[in-house]
Amino acid sequence: MADLQQLEDQIVGLSLLDAAALVKKLEERLGVSAAAAAPVMVAGGGGAAAAGAAPAEEKTEFTVVLTDVGGNKINVIKAVREVTSLGLKEAKDLVESAPKPIKEGVNKDEAASIKKKFEEVGAKVEIK
């Protein structure tokens, strides 16, 4: 253990140029690349299986977009005011400028409940 501590102290004490030279020499001697080794260490034992699963991550934040107001604009404005903290004028402006995001960065359940609320008053909503 004392040898490892001494080696660690020596490496920490190197200048940046000396450390870069040490890395190059170790890469040549061991036949590896320091840049390629980092992702392997992060992935762990899973390797290819872990790398294949990473792109399939489930989306956790959604944006609810008002796409069509429908025939009952007043009720849609009321629904916008319920869901957001907008005042009457801001809610009216949002409804009249559809398609427009109503709420951003919400979880899946909240997005579904917002969509249901707007569909009940005759509006069309899209979750992105």
Side-chain angles (χ1 to χ4, degrees):
M1 278 307 242
D3 291 336
L4 288 176
Q5 184 62 42
Q6 186 180 15
L7 180 59
E8 179 185 344
D9 292 339
Q10 288 176 345
I11 291 173
V12 170
L14 292 176
S15 70
L16 288 177
L17 290 175
D18 290 339
L22 176 63
V23 169
K24 279 190 177 197
K25 286 183 180 184
L26 289 174
E27 285 177 340
E28 290 171 6
R29 184 170 184 177
L30 300 174
V32 297
S33 171
V40 172
M41 291 169 33
V42 171
E57 285 183 27
E58 188 173 331
K59 191 174 177 181
T60 58
E61 290 190 351
F62 298 88
T63 300
V64 182
V65 179
L66 177 65
T67 56
D68 185 34
V69 177
N72 201 343
K73 186 161 77 170
I74 293 172
N75 285 343
V76 176
I77 292 170
K78 288 179 183 178
V80 168
R81 293 195 65 205
E82 278 181 43
V83 171
T84 65
S85 60
L86 296 177
L88 181 61
K89 182 180 181 337
E90 291 84 7
K92 181 179 179 276
D93 291 345
L94 186 145
V95 168
E96 289 176 346
S97 63
K100 207 61 160 176
I102 299 169
K103 202 157 189 183
E104 298 175 338
V106 297
N107 64 34
K108 190 175 187 176
D109 295 333
E110 187 178 354
S113 70
I114 292 170
K115 181 177 181 178
K116 182 180 176 190
K117 186 176 290 192
F118 278 88
E119 288 176 346
E120 287 174 356
V121 295
K124 291 183 182 172
V125 175
E126 186 177 302
I127 298 175
K128 294 183 179 183

